[in-house]
Amino acid sequence: MLVFSSMSGTNILQPRMTLARLTTQKERMGHCTKVPRNVNMEKLQYGYLFPEIERHELLHTEKYPNAKLIDLGVGDTTEPLPSVITSSMIDFVHGLSTTEGYKGYGPEQGNKALRKAIAEGFYKNLNVKPKEVFVSDGAQCDISRLQLLLGSNVKIAVQDPSFPAYIDSSVIIGQAGDFIANAEKYRSIEYMKCSPQNDFFPDLLSTKRVDVIFFCSPNNPTGHAATRKQLQQLVDFAKKKGSIIIFDSAYATYITDDSPRSIFEIPGAREVAIEISSFSKFAGFTGVRLGWTVVPDELLYSDGFPVVNDFNRIMCTCFNGASNISQAGGLACLSPEGFEAVHSRVDYYMENAGILFETLASLGLKVYGGANAPYVWVHFPGSQSWNVFTEILEKTHIITVPGSGFGPGGEEYIRISAFGPRESIIEASIRLKSFFS
Amino acid sequence: MLVFSSMSGTNILQPRMTLARLTTQKERMGHCTKVPRNVNMEKLQYGYLFPEIERHELLHTEKYPNAKLIDLGVGDTTEPLPSVITSSMIDFVHGLSTTEGYKGYGPEQGNKALRKAIAEGFYKNLNVKPKEVFVSDGAQCDISRLQLLLGSNVKIAVQDPSFPAYIDSSVIIGQAGDFIANAEKYRSIEYMKCSPQNDFFPDLLSTKRVDVIFFCSPNNPTGHAATRKQLQQLVDFAKKKGSIIIFDSAYATYITDDSPRSIFEIPGAREVAIEISSFSKFAGFTGVRLGWTVVPDELLYSDGFPVVNDFNRIMCTCFNGASNISQAGGLACLSPEGFEAVHSRVDYYMENAGILFETLASLGLKVYGGANAPYVWVHFPGSQSWNVFTEILEKTHIITVPGSGFGPGGEEYIRISAFGPRESIIEASIRLKSFFS
């Protein structure tokens, strides 16, 4: 097996180089305002991960204009929307050109019918009320709105590795403290290591008490779906410590075994958890933009004030409703016919995941995920993940994501996305086989 | 003329009553987390204005189920979209159901073609580059993202009265300081009084230096469009004081005289201003959700760092792009045919504004706005605006907005929106005439 650690890792440092250019820019440009740069923004390291990956993709395309690039990076859906979904949106848009069908502002919290359909479609028998469901333009946007809700005076924990928006939004709101360069960590954030050694579930006995625990299952990037027992431990831990769990279930529909699809399947969760989720991966709505957040009535701050009241205020002030066209599409996804059609796409991507998993496992690599999530997570012991990323891109023209982009716990790993047309997945498998054998 | 000041103003206090209910809720409910409620959220007064108005509307409808309510409150567009716009969106949505036409994530900053069309359509000869244009899901959402960009360590000024999202988002991010109840003001916010006495333009000589000046023209709620001379004074003031102007031009297309439609028409503005704007009122996209923000390259923090770099990071981290369907619609609005069709709607609403203005002026009321904006702003000297609002609603079944909802400088005023079908505007005029004469 190849080891990549001897290669240079300069790519990751490129964003820092712009600072030198900026100094000369200041000299050249004359007027500076007297407004101080936000110290939180200064603390952010590099650019946001996915635009950084795109930058590498662009550079690669310039270097190899004739190469047939396969993008298994960002994790973007590729398959057409079922026509049962698009025809609902078309009907709605057509209505907008008529006196009877025109609609302006909807409720900031989402249209009533959609809130009800989400409560019934995803939380059947789980006692989630429509008014606890807040429709949004996506889970990533909701993460930042939740940070606005919480403010700078709370301490957070994240799985390590994890989706980078949790940490980056925490830095922006001012919770994170200084960046400790040699540890690749922020001082005030609690990193809960998740690796094959602990079955990708944090050691809660050694986890410090925090206010808010971000937890993603099925996990992005590791692909691990937490078991019922693990999630019960998490809920019990949060209750004991007085913490709030922000549970990200954006990949819940990719679960194939009996792992919980919602934190609210766990007894006691309504007193300790918020759930964020999305139509992006469930229904191929990455560009349509639709998501939701559930805040249960029973979730209370230390003074007894309901969190849901403040979240409602945030949604009314900092947001103005998801596009009513996207909401019409979302409603169609939750009709019996729509739900079935959308699930066939999920099955398709999961078959892709199976192909990629088998390919890499057959090469003797240590592969995780792929069974309950559209990501496979590959371990390269002793190698730097940015080097693995660069070498794979250079030699196979396949975009992946370096694991360290998801936190220090992702070092030595890369994430490979199963989103793509089948022929690309097969072609990628052939190239990976040829590269690694 | 009627005077309303003797009536009770208890309606506005209702949101506070829920606090008593919450205490009992805490006793009843058992588990509280140990997470402190965000002190900034505690500082917010009442609910966000427009949902409060809707609450009054609901109560009124329950009380008078047979009354034909006319809503001239929130300011929501009512006229169908031109079919040249909807057919573009329909084509795009249909494409999403095909292999060739499917699109997933777009750039977080907006699609290239739309950024270019906005730069060329709204900023012709003003040197705004497409990469300085950030497409979003609306101006209200961008206000909060700009507050995330700026952080808690800056001081802001607002026109008084002004659109409430500036102040509320400032409170949420932690810039505002304590609320001084008897002044109806936050301690750390600079309120720049705008009234007929100063031609709705702040007295800059008595305005304290702040980091950020929110300025809306044509103004919501007063309907006043600042003149070129006034805006030059504002830009000069900002440059001298080292401040940043956040210029809200959401109603720019409603200008009928030669008032500037963009702050970038003013020499020097590129070094001191950000502009936020929207397709909501321009194109009837209140429910479709589309807006944009321009951050010029020359705008620098005190350390010389370009503001645009940090705003780009915010858009990539806290946002994930506007719906690509809405963006397809936005692009259609900026085609020659689309632009003309959209403008015919603007003209229609402005004819409504003229009817309302004439009606109220003919009754001897002091009326402002209506010439460059779809709002008329009516003065009731000596009366409390919530009382005027309540009395008009009770006697004419017309929803307006109490001026004090826009800040203490709006006390004694109400805002009447000109958005509505023509027959509703004429009917409202008849009712108002009958009530006031």
Side-chain angles (χ1 to χ4, degrees), chain A residues 341-363:
Chain A
V342 156
H343 261 281
S344 73
R345 302 291 193 273
V346 169
D347 293 344
Y348 179 89
Y349 294 129
M350 286 307 287
E351 285 163 24
N352 285 350
I355 292 168
L356 288 168
F357 188 97
E358 289 305 322
T359 301
L360 294 158
S362 75
L363 293 163

Side-chain angles (χ1 to χ4, degrees), chain A residues 56-77:
Chain A
H56 280 83
E57 185 173 332
L58 201 70
L59 290 172
H60 187 79
T61 313
E62 282 168 11
K63 191 172 169 188
Y64 301 101
N66 297 321
K68 205 192 148 225
L69 198 77
I70 300 177
D71 187 351
L72 305 181
V74 172
D76 194 3
T77 47

Side-chain angles (χ1 to χ4, degrees), chain B residues 36-325:
Chain B
R37 185 178 176 210
N38 183 344
V39 290
N40 299 327
M41 294 302 297
E42 282 180 31
K43 284 180 183 162
L44 285 168
Q45 303 298 307
Y46 329 117
Y48 186 66
L49 178 62
F50 297 113
E52 278 300 297
I53 303 285
E54 276 161 38
R55 206 171 56 81
H56 280 82
E57 184 173 333
L58 201 68
L59 291 172
H60 187 78
T61 312
E62 283 169 10
K63 190 172 169 187
Y64 301 103
N66 299 319
K68 204 190 147 225
L69 198 78
I70 301 178
D71 188 352
L72 305 181
V74 173
D76 194 3
T77 47
T78 56
E79 298 312 295
L81 299 184
S83 60
V84 54
I85 313 297
T86 50
S87 61
S88 278
M89 288 196 275
I90 287 170
D91 287 350
F92 185 86
V93 175
H94 176 71
L96 292 179
S97 69
T98 67
T99 306
E100 318 73 50
Y102 182 77
K103 297 253 186 288
Y105 290 120
E108 291 89 345
Q109 304 90 343
N111 293 331
K112 221 169 163 178
L114 181 57
R115 298 174 84 183
K116 187 164 177 278
I118 290 172
E120 288 172 359
F122 292 104
Y123 304 100
K124 208 172 147 80
N125 304 324
L126 296 180
N127 191 27
V128 169
K129 297 181 268 296
K131 72 182 180 62
E132 296 171 328
V133 176
F134 294 82
V135 176
S136 78
D137 59 338
Q140 179 164 328
C141 313
D142 275 345
I143 289 166
S144 278
R145 283 185 285 262
L146 285 167
Q147 296 287 19
L148 267 175
L149 172 85
L150 295 163
S152 58
N153 202 26
V154 300
K155 203 170 146 51
I156 73 156
V158 294
Q159 288 160 292
D160 180 25
S162 67
F163 181 53
Y166 312 139
I167 287 180
D168 285 1
S169 64
S170 175
V171 175
I172 290 172
I173 202 74
Q175 302 160 345
D178 291 328
F179 187 70
I180 309 163
N182 58 3
E184 291 281 325
K185 288 181 178 181
Y186 288 92
R187 192 178 302 278
S188 301
I189 291 179
E190 177 77 2
Y191 291 75
M192 307 183 297
K193 185 82 184 276
C194 292
S195 69
Q197 281 70 46
N198 59 13
D199 191 23
F200 294 102
F201 188 76
D203 176 10
L204 295 176
L205 283 177
S206 70
T207 300
K208 286 191 197 128
R209 193 257 157 200
V210 294
D211 295 299
V212 176
I213 302 166
F214 280 94
F215 198 94
C216 178
S217 178
N219 186 268
N220 176 8
T222 70
H224 179 77
T227 64
R228 196 167 302 271
K229 195 179 152 198
Q230 287 174 335
L231 290 181
Q232 186 68 62
Q233 284 171 23
L234 184 70
V235 165
D236 293 346
F237 178 77
K239 182 146 186 186
K240 189 174 153 201
K241 301 286 185 181
S243 307
I244 293 175
I245 299 164
I246 296 180
F247 188 79
D248 184 344
S249 68
Y251 295 92
T253 41
Y254 287 82
I255 292 175
T256 56
D257 64 15
D258 65 349
S259 304
R261 282 151 175 77
S262 164
I263 193 68
F264 300 118
E265 292 185 34
I266 309 301
R270 287 181 55 87
E271 291 177 322
V272 301
I274 289 168
E275 182 160 303
I276 53 178
S277 203
S278 174
F279 283 78
S280 288
K281 309 303 163 75
F282 158 58
F285 271 28
T286 49
V288 172
R289 311 302 312 139
L290 196 67
W292 74 90
T293 288
V294 175
V295 186
D297 284 340
E298 290 94 319
L299 185 69
L300 307 177
Y301 288 118
S302 55
D303 65 354
F305 192 89
V307 175
V308 68
N309 291 21
D310 274 354
F311 190 65
N312 183 61
R313 189 65 157 83
I314 288 282
M315 292 302 272
C316 292
T317 310
C318 306
F319 185 60
N320 219 335
S323 170
N324 50 23
I325 305 168

Side-chain angles (χ1 to χ4, degrees), chain A residues 33-35 37-38 76-77 81 96 102 105 140 144 149 242 284 287-288 300 302 310 316-318 320 323-324, chain B residues 33-35 37-38 76-77 81 96 102 105 140 144 149 242 284 287-289 300 302 310 316-318 323-324:
Chain A
T33 66
K34 290 179 184 148
V35 179
R37 185 178 176 209
N38 184 344
D76 194 3
T77 47
L81 298 185
L96 292 178
Y102 182 77
Y105 289 121
Q140 181 164 327
S144 279
L149 171 85
V288 173
L300 306 177
S302 55
D310 274 354
C316 291
T317 310
C318 307
N320 220 334
S323 170
N324 50 22
Chain B
T33 67
K34 290 179 185 149
V35 179
R37 185 178 176 210
N38 183 344
D76 194 3
T77 47
L81 299 184
L96 292 179
Y102 182 77
Y105 290 120
Q140 179 164 328
S144 278
L149 172 85
V288 172
R289 311 302 312 139
L300 307 177
S302 55
D310 274 354
C316 292
T317 310
C318 306
S323 170
N324 50 23

Side-chain angles (χ1 to χ4, degrees), chain A residues 121-154:
Chain A
F122 291 104
Y123 304 100
K124 208 173 150 75
N125 304 324
L126 296 181
N127 192 28
V128 169
K129 297 181 270 293
K131 72 182 181 59
E132 297 171 329
V133 176
F134 294 82
V135 176
S136 78
D137 60 335
Q140 181 164 327
C141 313
D142 275 345
I143 291 166
S144 279
R145 283 187 284 262
L146 285 167
Q147 296 286 18
L148 267 174
L149 171 85
L150 296 163
S152 58
N153 201 24
V154 299

